[in-house]
């Protein structure tokens, strides 16, 4: 038996009872003969409470001190978890990100891991300990200051440690049973996925699936670490995410479609009346990039020959909407467009599956399903293994349900079938 | 203007408002031209809440993890304090004990400082920052594990940093105005002491005065660091504690008595019927020491010649009472005493003042005052600059008031007079 890294989120360790329940699960893994490294988030609402305190003393908390503050949350949960494990008769030691060797750049509040040197973790494991590591945090290589990793930081900590320690698997424990073929709150017949390729998972994460963040999956793919996402509340197996299908599984042809993701957190900006000449699009997106805004889909209309003007639309997180409008208004004279339209009542539906590369007809079937459901398509974007459309936000749920059914993903149907259509 | 170290206790930073008030005071010191290092405790009840959480997951939390847990408290307060200072337009950086170079031994929960290497603090100060340091914590030289310093740990951190940084003064901010000639809750006419020698302060601390702990005063005396104990809620000067009277003060003869301390936290154990022969006392106190119990006063009665038996009484913290009784009962056969008597209804009154070394008659006047107040004396113990007696606990308050008045310490009297009596 080898080494496993387990990660528990804040909802799994929300109170003393949760910590004790998680401790039992960890001890079970140890009893099964594994070396166990545990990455833990802050308890329940701790981080929010700390942010609230910070806002009370300062309207704009500074990066370095904000990170120092927030990292107190994991310090509490990791120490309590180590105590709870020791109380079950097993040895455990807790480590801060810094102690665990999580080395980052110096960008406070959203640092990136640049190296992992887990010497103390290895020593603790060799001494028979379960090692508990604070998620979400590291130490800057340059300044030696404490940093935090931003959204999904604890998952990324777990995968990074798994890579550095050459773990068999990185288990991400959460409050859902795994990755589903669609959001079960929207699609009643959504089915838990037993295995999904890293490639498909990346697309699902980028398309609005919340279970695993893109960043963590990308790290796992690069270092070839299998992830097992599962519930800390049940004993059920969850979803495996890996580059190759796990050994031992039947190597049968699997479903071409992994799932349907949706996202209602984006808005659409249309730049109206842009002169249709070289350099215009570059000027628009330079203005957006300079404001440090990430955009998602971009569509340029075919130019109306008569006017020599065109429209350019793009989607971006709603939270960045005002910043983008401001940036474009400031650059209006230089770019020379007519006006801006802002629309935050949009939704995005994405169909993801590596199988669509080799199975023609997927796109046609996707559009047919949307059409049958009476859903109008406003924007389209595709990758090799994904098709996304933007619709009215009110249509999103119906669209997801319709597409899920059309591709045979519903749970009371047979296993998702190999699709054979015509043309894509 | 030189460097000052300021220490703020948990009651001074109990909430966001407290943190902002303290931040203003710190900025004032900086504006006055000082380099400022601040040592801060955990906010209000944070430490108690963390202890409560620990007890919920484990009845006997382990030392290393318990220290990891508790140090989260100062991490929160120091980061918030640094943010609040930055919000006032001044640069501040917070440092954990480990980052500040507070090196300790490896005794978790009550580590001792063995070295202070404040390189990062010095760099922060040289860069124009106010340095905020977590009190109560350090890092073990051997294991590199996080340690806590136990009771009074934040005061000791402040004094140790003051010594390592060659500070002009260590200011201890608290919720009282300074050191008083007696506990103001007991003696209405207690007077704030403007200056007290380290020597006298040590005896007061050992005798039950709670304002400064023995350990911190001892450290300050050894490194010749003046302490200024004062209120964080008022702007008033407090009490200076130093080896020599501050320069500039009139070098007049000062009061021979510094104050009256009392302590109702002790109990008395009497070992009855001990054979009066060499080695018996040693056997008793070996049994106590093996149980790691610190004792205070010891009195052996004159042996009754007829029986060859004697009684030995000693006082110890009430919290150690059961442990001591257990230890002695186990050793009963080896020691050979008759029985044990346990009395937790005692109190101790101590009169402290270096002046009593050279002024005869203090002891006689002390006993006379107790006698006049109808207080019966059960045990007596003296040092060169202190007399302590044990009485019934119910008599303690009356005894303290009587002694305070008898030695001219009452605030509406003239300044404490130089005492001239006969015989001590």
């Amino acid at each position: 038996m080898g080494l496993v890294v387990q990660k528990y989120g804040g909802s799994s360790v929300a109170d003393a009872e949760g910590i004790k329940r998680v401790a039992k699960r960890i001890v079970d893994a140890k009893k099964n003969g594994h070396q166990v490294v545990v990455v833990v988030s802050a308890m329940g609402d701790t981080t929010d409470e700390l942010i609230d305190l910070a806002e009370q003393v300062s309207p704009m908390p500074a990066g370095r001190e904000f990170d120092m503050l927030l990292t107190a949350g994991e310090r509490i949960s990791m120490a309590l978890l180590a105590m709870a494990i020791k109380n079950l008769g097993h040895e455990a030691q807790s480590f801060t990100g810094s102690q665990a060797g999580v080395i980052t750049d110096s960008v406070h509040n959203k640092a990136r891991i640049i190296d992992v040197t887990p010497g103390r973790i290895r020593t603790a494991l060799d001494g028979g300990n379960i090692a508990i590591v604070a998620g979400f945090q590291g130490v800057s290589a340059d300044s030696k200051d404490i940093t935090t990793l931003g959204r999904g930081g604890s998952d990324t900590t777990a995968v990074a440690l798994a890579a550095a320690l050459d773990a068999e698997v990185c288990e991400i424990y959460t409050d859902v049973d795994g990755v589903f073929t669609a959001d079960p709150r929207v699609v009643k017949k959504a089915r838990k996925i037993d295995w999904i390729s890293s490639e498909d998972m990346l697309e699902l994460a980028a398309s609005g699936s919340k279970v695993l963040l893109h960043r963590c999956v990308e790290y796992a793919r690069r270092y070839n670490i299998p992830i097992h996402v599962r519930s800390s509340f049940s004993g059920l197996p969850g979803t495996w995410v890996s580059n190759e299908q796990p050994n031992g599984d039947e190597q049968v042809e699997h479903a071409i479609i992994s799932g349907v993701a949706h996202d209602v957190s984006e808005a659409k900006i249309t730049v109206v009346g842009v002169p249709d000449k070289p350099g215009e699009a570059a000027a628009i997106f330079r203005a957006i990039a300079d404001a440090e805004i990430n955009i998602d889909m971009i569509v340029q209309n075919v130019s109306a020959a008569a006017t020599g003007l065109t429209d350019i639309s793009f989607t971006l997180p709603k939270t960045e909407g005002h910043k983008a409008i401001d940036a474009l208004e400031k650059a209006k004279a230089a770019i020379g467009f007519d006006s801006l339209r802002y629309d935050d009542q949009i939704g995005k539906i994405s169909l993801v599956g590596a199988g669509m590369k080799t199975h023609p007809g997927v796109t046609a079937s996707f559009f047919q399903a949307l059409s049958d459901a009476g859903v109008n398509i406003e924007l389209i974007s595709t990758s090799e293994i994904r098709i996304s459309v933007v619709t009215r936000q009110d249509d999103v749920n119906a669209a997801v349900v319709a597409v899920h059914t059309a591709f045979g993903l519903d749970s009371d149907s047979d296993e998702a079938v190999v699709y054979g259509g015509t043309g894509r």
Side-chain angles (χ1 to χ4, degrees), chain A:
Chain A
M1 298 293 234
L3 189 155
V4 300
V5 174
Q6 300 187 332
K7 180 261 172 178
Y8 293 91
S11 59
S12 299
V13 292
D15 54 21
E17 285 314 306
I19 287 171
K20 287 195 269 191
R21 189 188 68 243
V22 164
K24 282 204 193 75
R25 186 177 284 273
I26 294 166
V27 165
D28 284 346
K30 171 85 175 168
K31 282 183 183 162
N32 285 339
H34 291 287
Q35 286 192 311
V36 187
V37 175
V38 175
V39 174
V40 66
S41 301
M43 294 170 72
D45 301 326
T46 306
T47 302
D48 289 340
E49 288 163 14
L50 293 174
I51 291 172
D52 183 53
L53 268 175
E55 286 170 351
Q56 286 179 51
V57 301
S58 172
M60 304 236 304
R64 179 186 187 280
E65 302 306 324
F66 200 58
D67 282 354
M68 189 69 97
L69 178 72
L70 292 190
T71 50
E74 286 79 27
R75 197 179 190 86
I76 293 169
S77 55
M78 77 188 197
L80 290 171
L81 188 52
M83 288 177 197
I85 291 170
K86 289 167 90 86
N87 195 42
L88 296 175
H90 289 257
E91 288 305 312
Q93 287 193 339
S94 66
F95 298 92
T96 64
S98 171
Q99 290 176 334
V102 179
I103 315 294
T104 73
D105 61 22
S106 299
V107 184
H108 283 292
N109 308 344
K110 48 180 180 181
R112 297 196 71 82
I113 297 176
I114 56 179
D115 196 10
V116 180
T117 55
R120 292 187 68 177
I121 304 298
R122 189 66 86 182
T123 304
L125 293 173
D126 291 346
N129 288 282
I130 294 164
I132 315 291
V133 179
F136 181 65
Q137 59 179 251
V139 62
S140 153
D142 294 336
S143 66
K144 307 299 176 209
D145 285 332
I146 302 304
T147 52
T148 62
L149 306 178
R151 279 195 70 209
S154 289
D155 288 2
T156 307
T157 303
V159 170
L161 277 170
L165 292 162
D166 198 20
E168 277 183 2
V169 58
C170 179
E171 297 185 328
I172 308 274
Y173 285 91
T174 178
D175 49 8
V176 297
D177 284 335
V179 180
F180 281 72
T181 50
D183 184 338
R185 288 167 301 185
V186 172
V187 180
K188 296 271 177 295
K189 292 183 173 176
R191 206 161 32 78
K192 194 189 74 192
I193 300 171
D194 293 330
W195 172 77
I196 184 172
S197 69
S198 306
E199 201 178 16
D200 281 13
M201 191 65 232
L202 279 176
E203 290 283 2
L204 281 180
S207 303
S209 170
K210 302 281 192 300
V211 184
L212 287 177
L213 287 189
H214 190 276
R215 177 182 186 188
C216 140
V217 181
E218 176 58 40
Y219 205 111
R221 180 172 73 161
R222 194 175 345 139
Y223 290 94
N224 200 19
I225 299 296
I227 294 178
H228 186 188
V229 198
R230 56 196 303 196
S231 167
S232 75
F233 296 88
S234 78
L236 300 174
T239 300
W240 285 81
V241 183
S242 58
N243 294 353
E244 304 292 332
Q245 242 184 323
N247 290 336
D249 282 26
E250 295 170 41
Q251 295 291 326
V252 297
E253 197 166 13
H254 56 274
I256 53 166
I257 299 301
S258 286
V260 186
H262 71 278
D263 189 352
V264 292
S265 70
E266 295 192 342
K268 180 175 72 172
I269 289 177
T270 303
V271 189
V272 180
V274 181
D276 192 7
K277 60 181 189 191
E280 284 297 305
I284 289 171
F285 294 108
R286 170 60 51 210
I288 297 294
D290 287 349
E292 298 198 343
I293 295 166
N294 287 315
I295 59 170
D296 182 18
M297 295 162 71
I298 303 176
V299 174
Q300 177 168 350
N301 289 356
V302 176
S303 175
T307 61
L309 297 176
T310 188
D311 298 344
I312 295 180
S313 295
F314 61 92
T315 62
L316 76 176
K318 277 179 193 167
T319 49
E320 307 278 25
H322 288 290
K323 209 159 63 165
I325 295 287
D326 285 352
L328 288 171
E329 288 292 358
K330 277 190 195 134
K332 184 170 180 179
I335 302 171
F337 57 85
D338 280 347
S339 61
L340 295 175
R341 280 207 297 267
Y342 181 73
D343 180 357
D344 61 2
Q345 292 302 308
I346 63 162
K348 184 172 72 166
I349 300 107
S350 303
L351 186 69
V352 171
M356 70 173 74
K357 274 192 284 201
T358 52
H359 289 83
V362 168
T363 305
S365 301
F366 180 56
F367 291 163
Q368 187 65 49
L370 293 171
S371 167
D372 291 349
V375 174
N376 193 42
I377 298 171
E378 304 186 11
L379 296 178
I380 302 171
S381 133
T382 61
S383 80
E384 279 210 56
I385 61 171
R386 175 184 52 79
I387 317 169
S388 300
V389 296
V390 165
T391 69
R392 286 294 89 199
Q393 194 166 304
D394 289 344
D395 288 339
V396 164
N397 287 5
V400 173
V401 169
V403 171
H404 196 266
T405 302
F407 282 87
L409 297 170
D410 289 356
S411 63
D412 59 353
S413 73
D414 291 341
E415 284 301 295
V417 292
V418 176
Y419 183 81
T422 53
R424 178 182 163 189

